[in-house]
Amino acid sequence: MEYVKLSAEGGVGILTIARPAALNALNDQVIRELDQVLDSVDLQQIRCLIVTGEGEKAFVAGADIGQMRGLTKEQGEAFGKLGNDVFRKLETLPIPTVAAVCGFALGGGCELAMSCDIRLCSETAVFGQPEVGLGITPGFGGTQRMARLIGPGRAKELLYTARKVKAPEALSIGLVQGVYPVEQLMEEARKLAQRIAGNAPIAVRAVKKAVNDGLQADMDQAIVIEEKLFGSCFETQDQKNAMGAFVEKRKPEPFVNC
Ligand code: HXC
């Protein structure tokens, strides 16, 4: 892989978009590599995935404008579908994902971050969907995920104006869940990922699925989704061990089910 790297340590994976000369902008090669790297994530080993960009200046400065410039209508749709399919794969990855955003997360970069479960950022982070200033709409899910994450009114204000949002505002509107000095960001992302990775993997994945699938259903259907996933946990050794340890007042055994 030229532009997307994956490393793993102690149950935590780190996926890095690495095209720093173009501020990690997403051309079709980067997106295809991201697709392949997501397919290669070993779910037996990796229990939480951090998604980040190389360097301190940008997480991802958007889809590659030079590459998009000459697209036809059909090619534009195809490029949107390419990114949408991969970002949906990231969003529905069975394990939790944490975006660690340092610097610019614009256009496709903001959309990439919004496809993760949780977003942490540096004090220098800048988010935004500048597309309408370029004569296009967001095309990698921004119109949909931003409205779901921060509500339609706030999202429309940002999407219509192309206004950039700095880290403190991103925190206050719920676009990110934590802001840290640049030098602390990755350590905080690792701490969070390790804490998640320390819980029963099957249960954590079931929570992710329950929240994601439930948000797309009405409440009557959503609670049934939860019931089924809750029930499925009782087929795991981890549930038996952990509850047994509590009742018998002994130290729980490490989780084994992946
Ligand atoms: C291609 C990009 C790029 C991008 C930066 N670069 N962003 N190349 N596509 N989105 C390249 C620059 O051309 C330059 O290359 C190098 O990265 C450094 O960028 P500079 O502009 O020189 O840096 P700076 O002056 O510090 O400005 C940083 C910036 C600016 C504010 C982030 O680069 C910027 O505005 N970028 C575009 C942001 C944007 O509009 N994103 C949304 C794109 S639309 P050279 O070779 O000159 O050194 C989008 C749609 C998604 O994402 C949906 C598609 C379906």
Side-chain angles (χ1 to χ4, degrees), residues 19-26 57-58 60-68 76 79-81 83 104 106-109 111 128-131 134 136-141 164:
R19 196 189 170 209
L23 302 187
N24 303 324
L26 305 171
K57 187 165 174 183
V60 166
D64 192 305
I65 299 171
Q67 197 174 59
M68 285 187 293
F79 186 57
K81 177 165 168 45
F104 293 107
L106 300 174
E111 292 169 308
Q129 298 289 162
E131 284 88 346
L134 290 164
I136 57 172
T137 68
F140 291 159
K164 294 188 176 71

Side-chain angles (χ1 to χ4, degrees), residues 83-114:
N84 271 335
D85 288 351
V86 178
F87 284 22
R88 187 77 181 126
K89 186 179 280 187
L90 173 63
E91 185 172 45
T92 58
L93 203 68
I95 55 173
T97 54
V98 177
V101 175
C102 192
F104 293 107
L106 300 174
C110 188
E111 292 169 308
L112 178 65
M114 290 192 294

